[in-house]
Amino acid sequence: MKTAGWSTRHVAGQVDRSECAVRNCWEQWTREGTHARKTGSGATRKTTRREDRRNVRQALVDPTVTRSTIGADVGVAIVPQTISRHLAEANLKSKRSFRVLPLTPEHRQLSLQWCQARSMWNVTNWQKVVFSDESRFVWGTDDNRPSLNGLPGAIFQQDNARPHTAIVAQDFLRYFQTLLWTARSPDLSPVEHVRDQLKRQMPSCHSDLELTVQDLWAHLPQDNIRCLINSMPDRGAACIAAGGGPTRY
């Protein structure tokens, strides 16, 4: 562009750069015949390429590992920002997990309306609900119709998860009364605590995953489950008090 007679300001406007940057680039081209950026004179790299690959491998194996843990394993005094930069070179970025799910004003309004509609439900009402969390259920028959977990008249928690919206699931659920669950509200569902308890009890090594989960499920303390179900009226009241927002549950 400069060889064509364009002014520095015109070139800067076309390439979206400052006039100073264009001027320096042109002077370097005139002087050296290249516009390649010179090697910086910053601090030398403290870790070797092998150590960098090990750090990347550690982050891939354990996505929850922190920068402090990686830095301690390296054995070289480097700041966390350096570790983040090295991981970014491998297209890995750190993320901080949400303490609560982000809610839009629409989510809050729908949760508030959902809880207000059931504000008069007592523990007896909630005991009829079969809470679900993408788990498999045992189906029986009753007058040639499926019976959910051998509990005729039970109300199935429909949280619109993909397993619940599949055609085969919808075909079964049409025989039952369902309770549409408000979106993005795990704090209202007591089964989330049960799933967390199962995960904490899962051994790191097991020969048969299915049998292990079934055994843990069969030995869950029923008193804990009753307490969770009995907390449903308080959960709804807390949601109403929070205006449909997250609660302490």
Side-chain angles (χ1 to χ4, degrees):
M1 295 180 183
K2 290 288 291 184
T3 56
W6 287 26
S7 66
T8 301
R9 176 177 296 182
H10 192 184
V11 174
Q14 289 295 318
V15 299
D16 193 23
R17 292 293 185 271
S18 66
E19 294 184 34
C20 181
V22 172
R23 187 179 302 108
N24 291 338
C25 185
W26 173 249
E27 291 177 355
Q28 181 182 354
W29 175 267
T30 304
R31 183 176 61 255
E32 303 174 5
T34 179
H35 56 77
R37 186 175 181 179
K38 295 182 180 180
T39 303
S41 58
T44 57
R45 198 179 186 96
K46 293 186 177 181
T47 57
T48 64
R49 293 298 179 183
R50 183 176 182 179
E51 290 172 335
D52 292 341
R53 289 194 298 270
R54 186 180 64 182
N55 295 341
V56 170
R57 185 165 56 251
Q58 185 177 4
L60 291 174
V61 172
D62 183 9
T64 63
V65 68
T66 63
R67 295 181 300 180
S68 300
T69 302
I70 295 178
D73 293 341
V74 171
V76 180
I78 52 178
V79 297
Q81 290 78 2
T82 300
I83 297 176
S84 296
R85 187 171 62 253
H86 292 177
L87 294 178
E89 294 173 356
N91 295 323
L92 296 178
K93 296 182 179 180
S94 61
K95 295 182 179 180
R96 182 173 297 178
S97 59
F98 288 116
R99 297 187 62 182
V100 295
L101 288 177
L103 300 176
T104 64
E106 182 180 3
H107 286 141
R108 291 175 178 266
Q109 183 64 25
L110 292 175
S111 294
L112 179 60
Q113 293 175 354
W114 188 90
C115 291
Q116 288 174 337
R118 293 158 185 82
S119 60
M120 301 304 295
W121 281 30
N122 54 29
V123 173
T124 303
N125 297 121
W126 288 111
Q127 287 176 344
K128 298 178 182 179
V129 178
V130 177
F131 294 97
S132 63
D133 193 23
E134 292 72 70
S135 301
R136 293 188 62 182
F137 292 87
V138 179
W139 298 88
T141 57
D142 181 23
D143 296 332
N144 295 324
R145 290 190 176 188
S147 176
L148 183 61
N149 274 359
L151 298 174
I155 305 173
F156 181 77
Q157 177 195 14
Q158 172 58 288
D159 62 357
N160 288 324
R162 287 188 178 182
H164 299 170
T165 56
I167 295 178
V168 62
Q170 290 292 327
D171 184 53
F172 278 115
L173 291 177
R174 61 191 176 93
Y175 295 108
F176 306 106
Q177 181 180 356
T178 57
L179 175 61
L180 292 179
W181 207 257
T182 179
R184 304 181 75 84
S185 57
D187 51 338
L188 292 177
S189 181
V191 76
E192 296 289 341
H193 296 272
V194 178
R195 184 182 66 171
D196 181 67
Q197 186 176 355
L198 279 177
K199 286 185 175 181
R200 293 176 184 272
Q201 295 180 2
M202 278 292 295
S204 56
C205 298
H206 45 76
S207 57
D208 192 315
L209 175 61
E210 182 178 0
L211 291 178
T212 301
V213 173
Q214 289 179 351
D215 182 67
L216 291 174
W217 180 264
H219 290 86
L220 283 175
Q222 292 300 307
D223 290 340
N224 292 352
I225 296 178
R226 292 190 189 95
C227 288
L228 290 172
I229 296 177
N230 293 345
S231 69
M232 282 304 301
D234 294 334
R235 292 171 186 262
C239 180
I240 294 175
T247 67
R248 64 182 180 87
Y249 294 95

